[in-house]
Amino acid sequence: MNKLKKKKQKPKWNLQRNWQLHALVLPAVIVALLFQYLPMAGLVMAFQDYEPWLGFLNSEWVGLEHFRTMFTYDDARQVIWNTFVISILKIIFQVLVPLTFALLLNEVYHMTYKRTVQTIVYLPHFLSWVILGGILLDMLSPETGIVNQMLVGLFGIEPIFFLGSNDWFRPVVIISDIWKDFGFNTIVFLAAITAVNPQLYEAAVIDGANRWKQTLRITIPAMLPIIIVVATLSLGNILNAGFDQIFNLYNPLVYETGDIIDTYVYRVGLLNGDFSYGTAVGLFKSLISLVLVVAGYRLAYKYADYRIF
């Protein structure tokens, strides 16, 4: 029997047939080109002694001088250290707190109460740090803040200047960040819990396992892939300590422990007009973040079989 096997032909790209889809994507492509790729030409300032009136073409070329300067300044080293400390603490608690809360919320059987709590903890995620910063400034004020009024009235403790103390500023930043965003990650973990096979719990009940043992032996192991994905993908943000949050909360009194790379670049590059040095610091941060993003995706693929491409 001679049967001719027809080869499957790949569909040809037809702009005339699919022009509506391309037109739909075009605005997003234009915005990305204008605001993401075109400004990257300004990175050349990191290697120049840039002067605005001379422009890119006529400014003096200094090579890696600004990068060497960055590591000789005590302020720059302190800023890099602050960024690492704040970012690492945020990553750790933004995994542990939502995970713990999701496990506890999963044990609630009253659906109305469960959904109400879930909505309440999720709401701060939609508020900007401009609004939340104002709320925290009022709440933590040493004179009129409700927190200090409770400390003085209930415990007789002297008022604490939370946002003006190097000892208290980092805890305030970490706790307020958890308050704002842990509701979002809680939803991610709750979705992972719902994907667990119910028959596993039924078998565990037959074997005499209580709720605590079911959580340890079934729920957490089943959630381990998504936990690894969330944790490893957070590595790419290890140098993003939160410009919006820090900018709306910090002041010169807490530069020692609260100043991060983004606020330092803003202050040095834009306010002080040292464009070349500010660009060099920002480029250093971007390169490190790129390496960590690649490493995070590799780890997520290796340990959780997660990949985008």
Side-chain angles (χ1 to χ4, degrees):
M1 297 176 65
N2 296 325
K3 292 184 178 180
L4 297 177
K5 295 182 178 180
K6 296 183 179 179
K7 295 182 179 180
K8 293 183 179 179
Q9 294 182 352
K10 295 181 179 180
K12 295 182 178 180
W13 180 71
N14 192 330
L15 178 60
Q16 185 176 3
R17 185 179 59 186
N18 299 322
W19 69 268
Q20 298 93 338
L21 299 177
H22 292 87
L24 186 65
V25 175
L26 185 60
V29 173
I30 294 174
V31 169
L33 290 174
L34 290 177
F35 295 99
Q36 301 292 333
Y37 291 94
L38 187 60
M40 291 178 68
L43 293 176
V44 71
M45 288 190 295
F47 307 97
Q48 295 177 329
D49 187 10
Y50 177 75
E51 300 292 350
W53 53 86
L54 296 178
F56 296 139
L57 299 179
N58 298 319
S59 295
E60 181 184 357
W61 187 268
V62 296
L64 300 177
E65 179 181 345
H66 296 299
F67 293 93
R68 288 191 289 265
T69 303
M70 177 176 59
F71 291 103
T72 58
Y73 282 175
D74 292 336
D75 290 346
R77 291 199 298 267
Q78 184 64 43
V79 162
I80 295 172
W81 172 250
N82 292 342
T83 305
F84 270 107
V85 171
I86 294 175
S87 298
I88 290 173
L89 290 175
K90 282 185 176 182
I91 290 172
I92 292 173
F93 286 105
Q94 281 292 5
V95 173
L96 292 180
V97 173
L99 175 61
T100 304
F101 189 79
L103 292 173
L104 294 174
L105 196 60
N106 185 57
E107 299 300 319
V108 177
Y109 292 99
H110 196 288
M111 294 305 299
T112 302
Y113 176 77
K114 182 177 181 179
R115 290 171 181 171
T116 302
V117 171
Q118 186 175 334
T119 302
I120 291 174
V121 300
Y122 187 47
L123 284 177
H125 178 75
F126 296 99
L127 299 178
S128 70
W129 275 112
V130 176
I131 298 174
L132 292 180
I135 294 174
L136 289 173
L137 288 173
D138 289 337
M139 291 178 59
L140 301 178
S141 171
E143 298 177 354
T144 59
I146 185 174
V147 175
N148 276 301
Q149 288 181 359
M150 291 178 60
L151 292 176
V152 174
L154 297 179
F155 304 103
I157 301 175
E158 291 295 325
I160 301 173
F161 193 5
F162 289 99
L163 298 179
S165 169
N166 284 310
D167 295 328
W168 285 100
F169 186 76
R170 282 180 186 169
V172 169
V173 168
I174 303 303
I175 293 172
S176 60
D177 183 74
I178 295 171
W179 169 50
K180 183 180 186 298
D181 288 329
F182 87 96
F184 178 81
N185 286 339
T186 298
I187 293 177
V188 175
F189 290 131
L190 283 174
I193 293 175
T194 58
V196 180
N197 189 348
Q199 294 180 354
L200 296 176
Y201 294 108
E202 295 173 2
V205 171
I206 295 174
D207 291 338
N210 56 26
R211 296 298 299 178
W212 173 245
K213 290 184 178 179
Q214 291 176 36
T215 301
L216 291 179
R217 303 294 183 181
I218 299 175
T219 308
I220 293 180
M223 294 176 63
L224 196 57
I226 191 63
I227 295 173
I228 294 174
V229 168
V230 172
T232 53
L233 295 185
S234 298
L235 289 176
N237 293 320
I238 200 168
L239 290 183
N240 291 328
F243 173 80
D244 293 344
Q245 180 189 19
I246 302 295
F247 183 76
N248 284 283
L249 295 178
Y250 86 147
N251 56 77
L253 296 175
V254 292
Y255 280 172
E256 182 181 346
T257 58
D259 199 15
I260 60 174
I261 292 177
D262 289 335
T263 54
Y264 182 70
V265 169
Y266 168 78
R267 195 172 63 254
V268 173
L270 293 181
L271 298 186
N272 296 345
D274 194 348
F275 301 108
S276 294
Y277 180 67
T279 304
V281 177
L283 180 58
F284 167 77
K285 173 199 167 184
S286 299
L287 292 176
I288 299 299
S289 298
L290 175 62
V291 173
L292 292 174
V293 166
V294 174
Y297 277 111
R298 294 296 298 174
L299 291 173
Y301 174 65
K302 181 177 181 180
Y303 294 105
D305 196 26
Y306 173 86
R307 64 187 305 171
I308 295 179
F309 305 107

